[in-house]
Amino acid sequence: MFEEIIGNRKPIPERLAEYGFESVGDFQKYSAEICDGEFELTVFITPKGEISTELAEAETGEQYVLYKTSSTGAFVGKIRSEIEQVISSVAQKCYDASVFKSEQTKRIVEFVKAEYSDELEFLWEKSPQNAIWRRKDSGKWYGGVFTVKKDRLGFDSPEYIEIIDLRMKPADADKILSREHYYPGWHMNKKSWYTLILDGSVPDEEIRKRISESYALSKDR
């Protein structure tokens, strides 16, 4: 349920203890009040760093499970939002800070920093493993690095991978997407963005060239 927030990062035991987690068997457990004290949220973390939650009404102790279902509405939406805020806080303060694991991702990030003096911007509190680059002059995005499940790109695998999204001219889409290891833009306009997996399947030199093309396309006209 919280994979997009945690991704493939691992918890740091001493930070969990500082945050207020207690050991319960093989699990780490933490409790907090949400929704102005109306509910008590309990967070469990496995040795692998996986997170699960339980929610109970503070007054009666009765379990509340609708937030784990497909139920909609303002009330359950508020509950989910407050739970995600707690999980985001735990992720930021208790999990390792090395956001990206792929060695190719790290090299590409360093290339952009050296070539354009641009740092990744982490815009989404609930998705701390997703970030973008933008041009200083136009303010337009020219690339994004994301941690996603491989099945989001059509593969039959729940494995987490790191990807880069880059701009293209819509007129070039068919040509670009016909190349091996090039995919329609994930979470972007598929007419003007495409995706590469940062696992070495596309060489660094080629990715650097594609970044330069994307950078040029993001200039104001």
Side-chain angles (χ1 to χ4, degrees):
M1 185 175 181
F2 305 108
E3 294 91 344
E4 296 293 337
I5 297 176
I6 300 302
N8 55 8
R9 290 187 292 167
K10 301 300 180 185
I12 300 173
E14 53 268 30
R15 291 188 184 174
L16 291 173
E18 292 172 0
Y19 196 87
F21 280 84
E22 299 178 353
S23 295
V24 180
D26 291 334
F27 290 79
Q28 295 291 321
K29 175 183 175 182
Y30 171 78
S31 295
E33 292 184 347
I34 65 169
C35 297
D36 299 320
E38 187 175 349
F39 292 93
E40 182 175 28
L41 172 69
T42 303
V43 180
F44 299 94
I45 299 181
T46 71
K48 292 183 178 181
E50 299 162 338
I51 290 182
S52 61
T53 58
E54 291 182 357
L55 191 65
E57 295 183 14
E59 186 173 339
T60 65
E62 184 177 348
Q63 293 292 308
Y64 183 90
V65 298
L66 284 181
Y67 74 100
K68 295 183 178 181
T69 71
S70 58
S71 296
T72 59
F75 184 68
V76 71
K78 177 184 178 183
I79 289 174
R80 289 193 186 107
S81 177
E82 293 203 17
I83 291 174
E84 288 177 353
Q85 288 176 26
V86 173
I87 301 304
S88 294
S89 175
V90 170
Q92 291 171 9
K93 296 179 181 178
C94 303
Y95 279 64
D96 65 67
S98 181
V99 176
F100 300 115
K101 305 297 184 183
S102 162
E103 292 302 319
Q104 186 172 48
T105 304
K106 295 174 184 177
R107 294 193 300 270
I108 294 303
V109 169
E110 288 304 312
F111 163 74
V112 171
K113 187 185 301 184
E115 186 75 7
Y116 305 110
S117 300
D118 288 336
E119 300 278 357
L120 281 167
E121 297 180 41
F122 294 84
L123 303 179
W124 303 281
E125 182 179 347
K126 295 178 182 178
S127 300
Q129 299 202 102
N130 296 338
I132 58 94
W133 290 294
R134 76 173 84 220
R135 285 186 65 130
K136 296 182 181 67
D137 51 2
S138 68
K140 291 184 177 180
W141 300 4
Y142 61 89
V145 180
F146 308 102
T147 302
V148 302
K149 284 187 175 181
K150 202 169 183 178
D151 56 18
R152 297 291 183 89
L153 298 184
F155 294 90
D156 185 19
S157 171
E159 172 193 3
Y160 274 97
I161 56 173
E162 291 165 15
I163 62 173
I164 184 170
D165 277 9
L166 297 169
R167 287 183 179 271
M168 63 181 172
K169 294 180 180 178
D172 294 336
D174 289 343
K175 178 182 177 181
I176 288 174
L177 295 176
S178 68
R179 297 169 179 156
E180 189 176 12
H181 307 304
Y182 283 64
Y183 307 93
W186 180 83
H187 216 53
M188 296 286 197
N189 185 330
K190 292 175 173 51
K191 294 181 180 179
S192 52
W193 291 82
Y194 62 93
T195 292
L196 304 174
I197 301 176
L198 295 171
D199 61 355
S201 56
V202 179
D204 285 17
E205 182 178 359
E206 184 174 344
I207 295 177
R208 292 196 294 268
K209 180 181 178 181
R210 302 304 173 210
I211 291 172
S212 297
E213 293 171 350
S214 186
Y215 186 84
L217 287 172
S218 63
K219 183 179 181 179
D220 271 334
R221 298 177 185 275

